[in-house]
Amino acid sequence: MMDERFDEDFEESLVSIIMPVYNDTVYVKEAIVSIFRQTYFRWELLLVDDGSSLDIRAAIKDILAEERICFIRLPKNRTVAGARNAGIAAAKGRYLAFLDSDDWWLPEKLEKQVRFMQEKNIAMSFTSYRRVSENGRKVGRVIEAEGMVDYSRLLKGNCIGCSTVMIDRRQCAAVKMPLERHEDYITWLNLAKKKLSICGLAEDLARYRVGENSLSGNKLKSLWWTWKVYRKSQQLPFFRSLLCLGYYIVHGISKRW
């Protein structure tokens, strides 16, 4: 069945990079520089200041002269999902890519991923990546991207790093993240429900910074949010939710060993 967005006037080879920023004047430059170093040049950056109390524009004023950067200032905080949605709404490209302001990409990330998606006609892809410490010096093992994943597989745990994702909007219906915790996980689940092709590129192409106070670092809260994903967002029966949560815990442990 033809996607409802198939006829929209996207710029065919353009990658629209969505980067939410909230009070980050330390790491954001490193993230942007990693975009400048890409071997793929057909990109635009939608940098969304999510109602920061710090002056993000002043912190990166030397970078904003780059014409491929669109700086969007939200008057108040909308959460990371709301900021990403604001970027998506302004995006012109056929492809959407996500990069958080404290993460960064290796130089061939966009080039290899676009080629991978075009050759295999994939609706959504993700890549392998490594976790790094807050100061960026300690690099963990590679978190390998799996092959084709479907809804059933994703229910067992989020195997997709948000800062590695690329989505083909010619194949996916209007992409919008819910204003809930684990918004990225819910988005991947909702796309997988539509039986779209979701496939991992098993190449280490990104770095994911893990801080001591990061949201994903709070294990008990993360478990509760995941439970709500199963019960509220995906409306799974109680015992199936319990089984999926067990898989989620095992998957989370395996990523750290």
Side-chain angles (χ1 to χ4, degrees), residues 4-230:
E4 62 182 315
R5 301 201 61 170
F6 185 84
D7 291 324
E8 292 212 13
D9 189 24
F10 300 128
E11 292 189 30
E12 189 66 23
S13 61
L14 183 66
V15 178
S16 296
I17 304 163
I18 313 300
M19 181 186 294
V21 185
Y22 180 69
N23 284 345
D24 174 9
T25 59
V26 177
Y27 303 125
V28 63
K29 279 191 175 182
E30 188 174 5
I32 296 173
V33 167
S34 79
I35 296 172
F36 288 164
R37 291 174 176 168
Q38 292 298 300
T39 56
Y40 187 88
F41 302 106
R42 290 282 296 146
W43 56 261
E44 64 170 353
L45 171 60
L46 291 307
L47 196 154
V48 185
D49 178 0
D50 190 18
S52 299
S53 57
L54 300 179
D55 192 342
I56 303 299
R57 183 185 290 273
I60 58 172
K61 62 181 179 180
D62 54 327
I63 293 176
L64 288 179
E66 164 62 53
E67 62 181 9
R68 289 174 292 179
I69 297 179
C70 174
F71 185 86
I72 301 170
R73 163 73 181 176
L74 301 182
K76 63 180 181 179
N77 184 266
R78 295 188 191 174
T79 74
V80 66
R84 288 190 186 123
N85 289 338
I88 292 169
K92 300 175 182 177
R94 170 177 175 176
Y95 299 100
L96 293 177
F98 301 95
L99 179 60
D100 287 347
S101 66
D102 54 352
D103 299 338
W104 72 91
W105 290 336
L106 274 62
E108 293 184 311
K109 195 265 187 187
L110 291 181
E111 181 180 1
K112 288 186 174 182
Q113 200 165 6
V114 169
R115 184 187 307 122
F116 177 71
M117 293 185 70
Q118 290 178 343
E119 288 177 352
K120 296 183 178 294
N121 193 31
I122 293 168
M124 171 179 155
S125 70
F126 56 101
T127 78
S128 303
Y129 65 95
R130 292 178 188 261
R131 294 170 177 267
V132 298
S133 60
E134 200 162 8
N135 61 17
R137 294 173 186 169
K138 184 179 179 181
V139 180
R141 68 173 179 82
V142 176
I143 307 298
E144 295 284 359
E146 299 181 19
M148 297 295 294
V149 298
D150 58 15
Y151 184 69
S152 178
R153 165 60 191 89
L154 281 176
L155 284 175
K156 296 177 180 178
N158 186 9
C159 58
I160 299 173
C162 187
S163 285
T164 76
V165 166
M166 186 177 288
I167 293 173
D168 181 357
R169 294 205 283 175
R170 290 219 182 274
Q171 298 189 52
C172 297
V175 178
K176 188 173 183 180
M177 291 196 171
L179 303 179
E180 303 173 47
R181 298 295 191 182
H182 286 339
E183 72 291 329
D184 55 339
Y185 185 28
I186 295 173
T187 302
W188 319 150
L189 284 166
N190 290 342
L191 289 174
K193 270 185 181 178
K194 300 176 182 179
K195 301 187 183 302
L196 297 167
S197 56
I198 301 176
C199 189
L201 171 59
E203 292 200 40
D204 174 24
L205 295 171
R207 295 292 178 265
Y208 170 59
R209 196 186 309 267
V210 181
E212 291 182 2
N213 298 317
S214 66
L215 285 176
S216 57
N218 193 317
K219 307 301 186 297
L220 290 178
K221 283 185 179 180
S222 185
L223 280 174
W224 173 241
W225 297 337
T226 303
W227 178 254
K228 290 178 71 175
V229 168
Y230 296 144

